[in-house]
Amino acid sequence: MFTHNLGYPRIGSKRELKRACEQFWAGKSTKDELLRIGRQIKRQNWQLQQEAGIALIPSNDFSLYDHILDTALLVGAIPERYHALVDGQTNRELDIYFAMARGVQRDGLDIKAMEMTKWFDTNYHYIVPEFTKNQHFKRYSDKIIIDFEDAKQMGFVTKPVLIGPVSFLLLGKEKEAGFDRIDLLEKLLPVYIDILQELSIRGANWIQLDEPCLTLDLTENEQIAFQQAYQKIKKAVPNLKILVATYFECTGENIYVATTLDIDALHLDLVRCPSQLSDIFEQTDFAKTEKILSLGVVDGRNIWKNDYAKSLTLIQKAIDTLGQERVMIAPSCSLLHSPCDLDLEQNEEVLTPEIKNWMAFAKQKLTEVNVLRKLSEPASAPLFAQHFAENQKAIQSRKDSALIHKPQVKARVAALTEQDAHRPSPFAVRQALQLETLKLPLFPTTTIGSFPQTDDVRVLRANLKKGVISQEEYDAQIAVAIEKSIRWQEEIGLDVLVHGEFERNDMVEYFGEQLSGYVFSQNGWVQSYGSRCVKPPIIYGDVERPVAMTVRWSEFAQSKTDKLMKGMLTGPITILQWSFVRDDQARKTTAFQIAMAIRDEVLDLEKAGIKVIQIDEPAIREGLPLRRADWEYYLQWAVEAFRLSASGVKDETQIHTHMCYSEFNDIIKHIADMDADVITIETSRSQMELLDAFVDFKYPNEIGPGVYDIHSPRVPETEEMLSLLEKALVNIPTRNLWVNPDCGLKTRRWAETELALKNMIKATELLREKVKEGVC
């Protein structure tokens, strides 16, 4: 029996990668400096995993931006629009790579970024591969080879990690009609085989091919594709041991496919689906083969300490059936989704010793994996008995803690009625009242909420935390920033203004800091996409709102303008999804507790004179269970949670919500059931394709399809935005169409933000003129 890890956080324990990438993008450092820091992080990760007792250490789990983007570059799946970046014989691999991720607008080039979407039901975003009918693949990048050789120089014979060929295709997107991307497998496999053969020649013993799509609902053709792919791979590289990793859900109906693949080891996520261990023994002939079973028993997606007693039960069951030599122990999935190191949390006022003792971050999870192995081996188990005793003491202390349970919160949720989740009147009545009350023009313009968080704003917040400035000094400067942004919004002609959210660190963390039942880390950063890192709040107990959270600054901002000022809130499902959530009660219960806290805030904003309130829910779709059979139950309570948060207001108060990076077709009815007066969505990267779901469904309420991509520094021209608006207007009633960017502007710089928003206003004015003249 031995240990392995599926992947380690790539950002660095102090977010070194974030800073290195942003310095490089800003032209303040060189390619060599960026690669040097990346190599340093990789080497530190390998060393750390060896010291933790991990036998099979991964390589190629590191990425400068995204591992699916890495794979697209590796196999030459580079959309044609980026070919202009190849200058003669000069290899500009890094330029192409970042252009695919972020777009490029320089040296006479104006190339849009590729689409980005959520990685299954996590808050990580991946770059969506693009495929055409006549797609060709060829090996373009040697990153996976370079990483393996770099590790070898340090004395590590690593297990290279690569997204499997079938999942790579399934996670992509056809960019033209007339073919199924899975049919490209025959063209793709030779490139994979070429890479694997070279790794084998260079001394690799194991390869980890991640096939998370084995946990999805697959067609018969897709199931066959898995079997055929691994027959060909194994035949081509017979001396390379192949581990196929599944995670985030049960293999379910794919269990026969997964267990009969021509591979050497299969990884199962026994945190998300412990029942599949019994299924694999009772429903398949896996035990009769010589294959190894990798047990994902340590949660790679949450921060709670592993319960050794529960994990050892699963491990022992596998040993009893397969024998120790056919069992591997690992985290449930890549530790990419966990913060780096709990040892960095030294401030006991922020994270108390009692609560900290219930937790494990990525580094500590590696230790848990190794200790579980030791406890499972008769020879070493007695030596680690104290580890087991300490672990069980921590588990019990959490169960018994008085910090967790609040009777008044539980009683309030228990007393909810169906009427609590409904507005007083239907949308048609509300829309008429809002048109009269708000007096907005045709095609109202707004932004999604945040404005650029410049270095000055970040330094200001940091100085407050360090005690360098007083709360009064901080508040005075925030007030100046808000008023300045209001004057600028009035100047360019926005219709519904925002206060800019300069006082907020993150759209979830900011609220979590003011809700009871939450606790925070200082260094618990995880990657969301590219250089974007978030520090998720930790829900450890019952949640309620002790005092108003946003009213002060929203009321202040409204007092500085005669225009409408939006109150900006994060919705209950997004707060739930983007937090580390307690695992001792149903997620639905926690969501309803958060919803009631947001409801209290909504009502206080309305009392303060805020007539437009936005409750962002970008995470509703990402919370979908991976299996369709489980969708309805989740969507029922997720929609109800949103409605609980929004339904206490008068008909005249306009409720907005925002969603991004979602395929809406499958859940459009439930989005409509949320009954927000206005929904803003991300559509710019898809050129309004995502709007089709709303059009086909005949979405009844008002809608603002984003007209430019804020996740790229590229600034679209007025004509481009006008074209998108005209495309939207073909199917959206004129009085229902709003104009806005596709997301908040927090990560952008002011220069590009100002120019883009001015272009957006010009596009809107042109559209109004066309409608007035009867052209549209």
Side-chain angles (χ1 to χ4, degrees), residues 10 13 34 58 91 148 174 191 200 261 273 279 322 350 354 372 390 459 484 492 504 541 554 568 589 664 679 703 719:
R10 56 181 71 136
S13 60
L34 173 62
N91 189 313
F148 179 76
E174 296 98 344
V191 183
S200 182
L261 293 177
C273 186
D279 293 341
L322 302 175
V350 175
E354 180 181 7
L372 284 168
E390 291 173 356
V459 168
K484 182 179 178 181
I492 67 170
R504 303 185 189 184
S554 294
M568 299 300 306
T589 302
F664 297 114
I679 182 172
I703 185 167
E719 292 74 15

Side-chain angles (χ1 to χ4, degrees), residues 18-35:
K18 169 186 173 64
R19 297 183 182 90
C21 284
E22 291 175 356
Q23 287 287 305
F24 175 73
W25 296 335
K28 297 179 181 179
S29 70
T30 64
K31 169 185 172 181
D32 289 342
E33 178 64 12
L34 173 62
L35 296 178

